[in-house]
Amino acid sequence: MVDDFFDLPAFLAILKRQVRLIFLLGLVVMSCAFLYIVQTTPLYRATALVRVDPQETNLLDPAISSRMSSSNESTRIETEVEILKSPSLALKTIAQEGLQ
C-alpha cells in the first residue's frame, strides 16, 4: 500500500538528474517556435465602419445644437466619404503604417 502514494523526494531527485535534458528540450522547442514565427509571412485583415454624425453638437452644452439644412448635411457627408475613398489617403496610410 505504501507504493501507491506519490514519492515527492524521489520525483525531485529524478528532476534534478534530468535537469539538463529538460532545459535542452525546452531550448529546442523555443528555438523551433522562434524560427517558425520569424519565417512565417504575417497575414492581416481589417475592416472598419465609419459613422459620420451630421449634427454638430456643443460638447460644453449638449442641449444646444446647431441644425444644418439637409442639403448641407448630405454635401458634408459626401465630401467626407470621398476623402476616405481617395487613393492618396490610402497610399499615405499604407506608407505610414508600413503595410507594404
Side-chain angles (χ1 to χ4, degrees), residues 6-33:
F6 180 72
D7 189 12
L8 183 60
F11 179 72
L12 293 176
I14 292 170
L15 286 180
K16 188 175 180 180
R17 284 193 309 264
Q18 301 297 330
V19 72
R20 280 189 276 159
L21 179 64
I22 293 169
F23 282 125
L24 181 63
L25 183 61
L27 182 66
V28 167
V29 169
M30 295 301 281
S31 298
C32 290

Side-chain angles (χ1 to χ4, degrees), residues 28-62:
V28 167
V29 169
M30 295 301 281
S31 298
C32 290
F34 177 76
L35 288 174
Y36 175 76
I37 289 171
V38 170
Q39 296 296 323
T40 305
T41 304
L43 301 174
Y44 301 100
R45 181 180 174 140
T47 59
L49 175 63
V50 178
R51 179 174 177 245
V52 179
D53 187 8
Q55 295 181 356
E56 295 180 15
T57 58
N58 185 349
L59 296 177
L60 298 176
D61 189 7

Side-chain angles (χ1 to χ4, degrees), residues 58-99:
N58 185 349
L59 296 177
L60 298 176
D61 189 7
I64 301 172
S65 67
S66 63
R67 295 294 304 163
M68 297 175 66
S69 69
S70 85
S71 65
N72 287 345
E73 288 176 6
S74 65
T75 302
R76 182 173 154 222
I77 291 173
E78 288 174 14
T79 303
E80 290 182 16
V81 168
E82 289 302 317
I83 290 171
L84 291 174
K85 286 182 178 179
S86 70
S88 63
L89 179 64
L91 291 174
K92 285 180 187 176
T93 303
I94 289 169
Q96 182 178 0
E97 298 299 322
L99 301 174

